[in-house]
Amino acid sequence: MKKELYTFFLLCLSTASVAQTLTRLDSIKVVPLDTVYWKRSAQVGINLNQGSFSNNWKGGGVNSVALGAFFNAKSDYMQRRFNWTSEVQLQYGIVKNEGQDSRKNVDRIFLDTKVGYRLNPVWLAFGNINFLSQFAPGYRYESLAGGGERSLLISNFFAPAFLTESMGLEYKPATYFNLQFGLGTIRQTFVLDDAIETGEPTRYGVAPGKKVRNEFAFQLIANYDRNIAENLNLKARYLLFANYATLNAIDHRLDVSLTAKVNRFVNVNLTGIILYDKDQDEAVQYSQGLAIGFLYAF
């Protein structure tokens, strides 16, 4: 009798173990080893701002119209521990005030690609290449004593342009936030148009007679991209660039964008940039823009 009870007890344990194993196996999602994970997104849009006043408008003002276009795209590839992220941001806009020639109010070429290898759930080793420049000439406008104004060329395509190669460690505790520590960073500053010297004698740190300046530095980048409310997205990117040879002149740049989606095709966008670069100016630079426009995402 004891032997029969013992046999029955072992049978029950065996049955329970098999059932538990089957349940555990059923809960595991089997993924083929060659599965590729891609996430892609792109946006193209046009922004239009306009203002007009009657001749007797006591509040004052200048009739104006502004038109801008942009294209943003991002791709993210991940397989096991390997990750490859690329991003493109292209922006250009002009503004026309009554009594003045048209002038640009936004101009940006931003290309970025990063390859990472995950060391643990929150840390990655990465290599990154980044390019920043503009499409068209940029001018500083000065009033003349006898009336009128003159324009001085201060920038152009590849004048300046910044190409940065960086290697280091990335801390990524969440999908919407990451920190990149570029322990070994090299940046090339290009000035290929010598005509900017009259309006911008500093040449963005590139010595007279030279086309390129090389810097070896430490770079810190913080990225934040998250929907903070329904149909409201906040995107911020902070850059610290410290040339190992001149640590007393550290560059800082903060880009912030707040986008409210009105409907599928219309959005409102508030942007701001704060920049400190001693090679460009002793003072802090800033720009701000507010636009409503058409947006198509695909």
Side-chain angles (χ1 to χ4, degrees), residues 9-68:
F9 179 71
L10 290 178
L11 181 61
C12 289
L13 287 178
S14 177
T15 303
S17 177
V18 171
Q20 184 179 6
T21 301
L22 290 174
T23 302
R24 188 163 57 244
L25 288 174
D26 289 343
S27 66
I28 298 175
K29 183 179 180 181
V30 179
V31 179
L33 296 179
D34 60 347
T35 298
V36 176
Y37 300 89
W38 275 105
K39 290 183 179 179
R40 300 184 182 93
S41 63
Q43 297 175 334
V44 60
I46 297 176
N47 297 322
L48 176 65
N49 296 316
Q50 182 269 336
S52 61
F53 308 87
S54 64
N55 293 332
N56 62 339
W57 181 257
K58 305 305 181 185
V62 177
N63 297 340
S64 65
V65 60
L67 180 66

Coordinates of all heavy atoms in Angstrom, one line a residue, residues 9-68:
F9 N 2.2 9.5 -5.8 CA 2.8 10.8 -5.4 C 3.8 11.3 -6.4 O 3.8 12.4 -6.9 CB 3.4 10.7 -4.0 CG 4.0 12.0 -3.6 CD1 3.2 13.1 -3.2 CD2 5.4 12.1 -3.5 CE1 3.8 14.3 -2.8 CE2 5.9 13.3 -3.1 CZ 5.1 14.4 -2.7
L10 N 4.7 10.3 -6.9 CA 5.7 10.7 -7.9 C 5.1 11.0 -9.2 O 5.5 11.9 -9.9 CB 6.7 9.5 -8.0 CG 7.6 9.2 -6.9 CD1 8.5 8.0 -7.2 CD2 8.5 10.5 -6.6
L11 N 4.0 10.3 -9.5 CA 3.3 10.5 -10.8 C 2.7 11.9 -10.8 O 2.7 12.6 -11.8 CB 2.2 9.5 -11.0 CG 1.4 9.6 -12.3 CD1 2.3 9.5 -13.5 CD2 0.3 8.5 -12.3
C12 N 2.1 12.3 -9.6 CA 1.5 13.6 -9.5 C 2.5 14.7 -9.7 O 2.3 15.8 -10.4 CB 0.8 13.8 -8.2 SG -0.7 12.8 -8.1
L13 N 3.7 14.6 -9.0 CA 4.8 15.5 -9.2 C 5.2 15.7 -10.6 O 5.5 16.8 -11.1 CB 5.9 15.2 -8.2 CG 5.7 15.4 -6.7 CD1 6.9 14.9 -6.0 CD2 5.4 16.9 -6.4
S14 N 5.4 14.5 -11.2 CA 5.8 14.5 -12.6 C 4.9 15.2 -13.5 O 5.2 16.0 -14.4 CB 6.1 13.1 -13.1 OG 6.5 13.0 -14.4
T15 N 3.6 15.0 -13.3 CA 2.5 15.6 -14.2 C 2.5 17.1 -14.0 O 2.4 17.9 -14.9 CB 1.1 15.0 -13.8 OG1 1.2 13.6 -14.0 CG2 0.1 15.6 -14.7
A16 N 2.7 17.6 -12.7 CA 2.7 19.0 -12.4 C 3.9 19.7 -13.0 O 3.8 20.8 -13.5 CB 2.7 19.2 -10.9
S17 N 5.0 19.0 -13.0 CA 6.2 19.5 -13.6 C 6.1 19.7 -15.1 O 6.5 20.7 -15.6 CB 7.4 18.6 -13.2 OG 8.6 19.1 -13.8
V18 N 5.5 18.7 -15.7 CA 5.3 18.8 -17.2 C 4.4 19.9 -17.5 O 4.6 20.7 -18.5 CB 4.8 17.4 -17.7 CG1 4.4 17.6 -19.2 CG2 5.9 16.3 -17.6
A19 N 3.3 20.0 -16.8 CA 2.3 21.1 -17.0 C 2.9 22.5 -16.9 O 2.7 23.4 -17.7 CB 1.1 20.9 -16.1
Q20 N 3.8 22.6 -15.8 CA 4.4 23.9 -15.6 C 5.4 24.2 -16.7 O 5.5 25.3 -17.2 CB 5.2 23.8 -14.2 CG 5.8 25.2 -13.9 CD 6.5 25.1 -12.5 OE1 6.6 24.0 -11.9 NE2 7.0 26.2 -12.0
T21 N 6.1 23.2 -17.2 CA 7.1 23.4 -18.3 C 6.4 23.8 -19.5 O 6.8 24.7 -20.2 CB 7.9 22.1 -18.5 OG1 8.6 21.8 -17.3 CG2 8.9 22.3 -19.6
L22 N 5.2 23.1 -19.8 CA 4.5 23.5 -21.0 C 3.9 24.9 -21.0 O 3.9 25.6 -21.9 CB 3.3 22.5 -21.2 CG 3.7 21.1 -21.6 CD1 2.5 20.1 -21.6 CD2 4.4 21.0 -23.0
T23 N 3.4 25.3 -19.7 CA 2.9 26.6 -19.6 C 4.0 27.7 -19.8 O 3.8 28.7 -20.4 CB 2.3 26.8 -18.2 OG1 1.3 25.8 -18.0 CG2 1.7 28.2 -18.0
R24 N 5.2 27.4 -19.2 CA 6.3 28.3 -19.4 C 6.7 28.4 -20.8 O 7.0 29.5 -21.3 CB 7.5 27.8 -18.5 CG 8.6 28.8 -18.4 CD 9.5 28.5 -17.2 NE 10.1 27.2 -17.3 CZ 9.8 26.2 -16.4 NH1 9.0 26.5 -15.4 NH2 10.4 25.0 -16.5
L25 N 6.8 27.3 -21.5 CA 7.2 27.3 -22.9 C 6.2 28.1 -23.8 O 6.5 28.8 -24.7 CB 7.4 25.9 -23.5 CG 8.6 25.1 -23.0 CD1 8.6 23.7 -23.5 CD2 9.9 25.8 -23.4
D26 N 4.9 27.9 -23.5 CA 3.8 28.5 -24.2 C 3.9 30.0 -24.1 O 3.4 30.8 -25.0 CB 2.4 28.0 -23.8 CG 2.2 26.6 -24.2 OD1 2.9 26.1 -25.1 OD2 1.3 26.0 -23.7
S27 N 4.4 30.5 -22.9 CA 4.5 32.0 -22.7 C 5.7 32.6 -23.3 O 5.8 33.8 -23.3 CB 4.5 32.2 -21.2 OG 5.7 31.8 -20.6
I28 N 6.6 31.9 -23.9 CA 7.8 32.4 -24.5 C 7.5 32.7 -26.0 O 7.1 31.8 -26.7 CB 9.0 31.5 -24.3 CG1 9.3 31.3 -22.9 CG2 10.2 32.0 -25.1 CD1 10.4 30.3 -22.6
K29 N 7.8 33.9 -26.4 CA 7.6 34.2 -27.8 C 8.9 33.8 -28.6 O 10.0 34.3 -28.4 CB 7.4 35.7 -28.0 CG 7.1 36.1 -29.5 CD 6.9 37.6 -29.6 CE 6.7 38.0 -31.0 NZ 6.4 39.5 -31.1
V30 N 8.7 32.8 -29.5 CA 9.9 32.3 -30.2 C 10.1 33.2 -31.4 O 9.3 33.5 -32.2 CB 9.6 30.9 -30.7 CG1 10.8 30.4 -31.5 CG2 9.3 30.0 -29.5
V31 N 11.4 33.8 -31.5 CA 11.8 34.7 -32.5 C 12.9 34.1 -33.3 O 13.9 33.7 -32.8 CB 12.2 36.1 -31.9 CG1 12.6 37.0 -33.0 CG2 11.1 36.7 -31.1
P32 N 12.8 34.0 -34.6 CA 13.9 33.5 -35.5 C 15.1 34.2 -35.3 O 15.1 35.5 -35.0 CB 13.3 33.6 -36.9 CG 11.8 33.7 -36.7 CD 11.6 34.4 -35.4
L33 N 16.3 33.6 -35.4 CA 17.5 34.2 -35.1 C 17.9 35.3 -36.1 O 18.6 36.2 -35.9 CB 18.7 33.1 -35.1 CG 18.6 32.1 -34.0 CD1 19.7 31.1 -34.1 CD2 18.6 32.8 -32.6
D34 N 17.3 35.2 -37.3 CA 17.6 36.2 -38.4 C 16.6 37.3 -38.5 O 16.6 38.0 -39.4 CB 17.8 35.5 -39.7 CG 16.5 34.8 -40.1 OD1 15.6 34.6 -39.3 OD2 16.3 34.3 -41.3
T35 N 15.7 37.4 -37.4 CA 14.7 38.5 -37.5 C 15.4 39.8 -37.4 O 16.3 40.0 -36.6 CB 13.7 38.3 -36.3 OG1 13.0 37.1 -36.4 CG2 12.7 39.4 -36.3
V36 N 15.0 40.8 -38.2 CA 15.5 42.1 -38.2 C 14.4 43.1 -37.7 O 13.3 43.0 -38.1 CB 15.9 42.5 -39.6 CG1 16.4 44.0 -39.7 CG2 17.1 41.6 -40.1
Y37 N 14.8 44.0 -36.8 CA 13.9 44.9 -36.2 C 14.2 46.3 -36.8 O 15.2 46.9 -36.6 CB 14.0 44.9 -34.7 CG 13.7 43.6 -34.0 CD1 14.8 42.7 -33.8 CD2 12.5 43.3 -33.6 CE1 14.5 41.4 -33.2 CE2 12.2 42.0 -33.0 CZ 13.2 41.1 -32.8 OH 13.0 39.9 -32.2
W38 N 13.2 46.9 -37.5 CA 13.3 48.2 -38.1 C 12.2 49.1 -37.6 O 11.1 48.7 -37.5 CB 13.3 48.2 -39.6 CG 14.5 47.9 -40.3 CD1 14.9 46.7 -40.9 CD2 15.6 48.7 -40.5 NE1 16.1 46.8 -41.5 CE2 16.6 48.0 -41.2 CE3 15.9 50.1 -40.1 CZ2 17.8 48.6 -41.6 CZ3 17.1 50.6 -40.5 CH2 18.1 49.9 -41.2
K39 N 12.5 50.3 -37.2 CA 11.5 51.3 -37.0 C 11.9 52.6 -37.8 O 13.0 53.1 -37.7 CB 11.5 51.7 -35.5 CG 11.0 50.7 -34.6 CD 10.9 51.1 -33.1 CE 10.3 50.1 -32.2 NZ 10.3 50.6 -30.8
R40 N 11.0 53.0 -38.6 CA 11.3 54.1 -39.5 C 10.1 55.1 -39.4 O 9.0 54.8 -39.3 CB 11.4 53.7 -41.0 CG 12.5 52.6 -41.3 CD 12.5 52.4 -42.7 NE 13.5 51.4 -43.1 CZ 13.3 50.1 -43.2 NH1 12.1 49.6 -43.0 NH2 14.3 49.2 -43.6
S41 N 10.5 56.4 -39.5 CA 9.5 57.5 -39.5 C 10.0 58.6 -40.3 O 11.3 58.9 -40.4 CB 9.2 57.9 -38.1 OG 10.3 58.5 -37.5
A42 N 9.1 59.4 -40.9 CA 9.6 60.6 -41.7 C 8.4 61.6 -41.7 O 7.2 61.3 -41.6 CB 9.9 60.2 -43.1
Q43 N 8.8 62.9 -41.8 CA 7.9 64.0 -41.8 C 8.3 65.0 -42.8 O 9.5 65.3 -42.9 CB 7.8 64.6 -40.4 CG 7.3 63.7 -39.3 CD 7.3 64.4 -37.9 OE1 8.1 65.3 -37.7 NE2 6.5 64.0 -37.0
V44 N 7.4 65.5 -43.5 CA 7.6 66.6 -44.4 C 6.5 67.7 -44.2 O 5.4 67.3 -44.0 CB 7.6 66.2 -45.9 CG1 6.3 65.5 -46.3 CG2 8.0 67.3 -46.8
G45 N 6.9 68.9 -44.3 CA 5.9 70.0 -44.0 C 6.2 71.3 -44.5 O 7.4 71.6 -44.9
I46 N 5.2 72.2 -44.5 CA 5.4 73.6 -44.9 C 4.7 74.5 -43.9 O 3.6 74.2 -43.4 CB 4.7 73.8 -46.3 CG1 5.4 73.0 -47.4 CG2 4.8 75.3 -46.7 CD1 4.7 73.1 -48.7
N47 N 5.5 75.5 -43.5 CA 5.0 76.5 -42.5 C 4.7 77.8 -43.2 O 5.6 78.3 -44.0 CB 5.9 76.6 -41.3 CG 6.1 75.4 -40.5 OD1 5.2 74.6 -40.3 ND2 7.4 75.1 -40.1
L48 N 3.7 78.5 -42.8 CA 3.3 79.8 -43.4 C 2.9 80.7 -42.3 O 2.0 80.4 -41.5 CB 2.2 79.7 -44.4 CG 1.7 81.0 -45.0 CD1 2.8 81.7 -45.8 CD2 0.5 80.7 -45.9
N49 N 3.6 81.9 -42.2 CA 3.2 83.0 -41.3 C 3.0 84.2 -42.1 O 3.7 84.5 -43.0 CB 4.3 83.2 -40.2 CG 4.5 82.0 -39.3 OD1 3.6 81.4 -38.9 ND2 5.8 81.6 -39.1
Q50 N 1.9 85.0 -41.7 CA 1.6 86.2 -42.4 C 1.0 87.2 -41.5 O 0.3 86.9 -40.5 CB 0.6 85.9 -43.5 CG 0.2 87.0 -44.4 CD -1.0 87.7 -44.0 OE1 -1.8 87.2 -43.2 NE2 -1.1 89.0 -44.3
G51 N 1.3 88.5 -41.7 CA 0.7 89.6 -40.9 C 0.6 90.8 -41.8 O 1.5 91.1 -42.6
S52 N -0.5 91.5 -41.7 CA -0.8 92.7 -42.5 C -1.5 93.8 -41.6 O -2.3 93.4 -40.7 CB -1.6 92.4 -43.7 OG -2.8 91.9 -43.4
F53 N -1.3 95.0 -41.9 CA -1.9 96.1 -41.2 C -2.4 97.2 -42.1 O -1.8 97.4 -43.2 CB -0.8 96.7 -40.2 CG -0.1 95.7 -39.4 CD1 1.0 95.1 -39.8 CD2 -0.6 95.4 -38.1 CE1 1.7 94.1 -39.0 CE2 0.0 94.5 -37.3 CZ 1.2 93.9 -37.8
S54 N -3.4 97.9 -41.7 CA -3.9 99.0 -42.5 C -3.0 100.2 -42.3 O -2.2 100.3 -41.4 CB -5.4 99.4 -42.1 OG -5.4 99.8 -40.7
N55 N -3.1 101.2 -43.2 CA -2.2 102.3 -43.1 C -2.4 103.2 -41.9 O -1.6 103.9 -41.4 CB -2.4 103.2 -44.4 CG -1.9 102.6 -45.6 OD1 -1.0 101.7 -45.6 ND2 -2.5 102.9 -46.8
N56 N -3.6 103.1 -41.3 CA -3.9 103.9 -40.1 C -3.9 103.0 -38.8 O -4.5 103.4 -37.8 CB -5.3 104.6 -40.3 CG -6.4 103.5 -40.4 OD1 -6.2 102.4 -40.8 ND2 -7.7 104.0 -40.2
W57 N -3.3 101.9 -38.9 CA -3.2 101.0 -37.7 C -2.3 101.6 -36.7 O -1.1 101.8 -36.9 CB -2.7 99.6 -38.1 CG -2.7 98.6 -37.0 CD1 -1.5 98.2 -36.3 CD2 -3.7 98.0 -36.3 NE1 -1.8 97.4 -35.3 CE2 -3.2 97.2 -35.3 CE3 -5.1 97.9 -36.6 CZ2 -4.0 96.4 -34.5 CZ3 -5.9 97.2 -35.8 CH2 -5.4 96.4 -34.8
K58 N -2.9 102.0 -35.5 CA -2.2 102.8 -34.5 C -1.2 102.0 -33.7 O -0.3 102.6 -33.1 CB -3.2 103.5 -33.6 CG -4.3 104.4 -34.3 CD -3.6 105.4 -35.2 CE -4.7 106.3 -35.8 NZ -4.2 107.2 -36.8
G59 N -1.4 100.7 -33.7 CA -0.5 99.9 -33.0 C 0.9 99.7 -33.6 O 1.8 99.3 -33.0
G60 N 1.0 100.1 -34.9 CA 2.2 100.0 -35.6 C 2.4 98.5 -36.1 O 1.8 97.6 -35.6
G61 N 3.4 98.3 -37.0 CA 3.7 97.0 -37.5 C 4.1 97.1 -38.9 O 4.0 98.1 -39.6
V62 N 4.6 96.0 -39.4 CA 5.1 95.9 -40.7 C 4.5 94.7 -41.4 O 4.5 93.6 -40.8 CB 6.7 95.7 -40.8 CG1 7.2 95.5 -42.2 CG2 7.4 96.9 -40.1
N63 N 3.9 94.9 -42.6 CA 3.4 93.8 -43.3 C 4.5 92.7 -43.7 O 5.6 93.1 -44.1 CB 2.7 94.2 -44.7 CG 1.6 95.2 -44.4 OD1 1.0 95.2 -43.3 ND2 1.2 96.0 -45.4
S64 N 4.2 91.5 -43.4 CA 5.2 90.5 -43.6 C 4.6 89.1 -44.0 O 3.4 88.9 -43.7 CB 6.1 90.3 -42.4 OG 5.3 89.8 -41.3
V65 N 5.4 88.3 -44.6 CA 5.0 86.9 -44.9 C 6.2 86.1 -44.8 O 7.3 86.5 -45.2 CB 4.4 86.8 -46.3 CG1 5.4 87.2 -47.4 CG2 3.9 85.4 -46.6
A66 N 6.1 84.9 -44.2 CA 7.2 84.0 -44.0 C 6.8 82.6 -44.5 O 5.6 82.1 -44.2 CB 7.6 84.0 -42.6
L67 N 7.7 81.9 -45.2 CA 7.4 80.6 -45.7 C 8.6 79.7 -45.4 O 9.7 80.1 -45.6 CB 7.2 80.6 -47.2 CG 6.9 79.3 -47.9 CD1 5.5 78.8 -47.4 CD2 6.9 79.5 -49.4
G68 N 8.3 78.5 -44.8 CA 9.4 77.6 -44.5 C 9.0 76.2 -44.9 O 7.8 75.8 -44.9

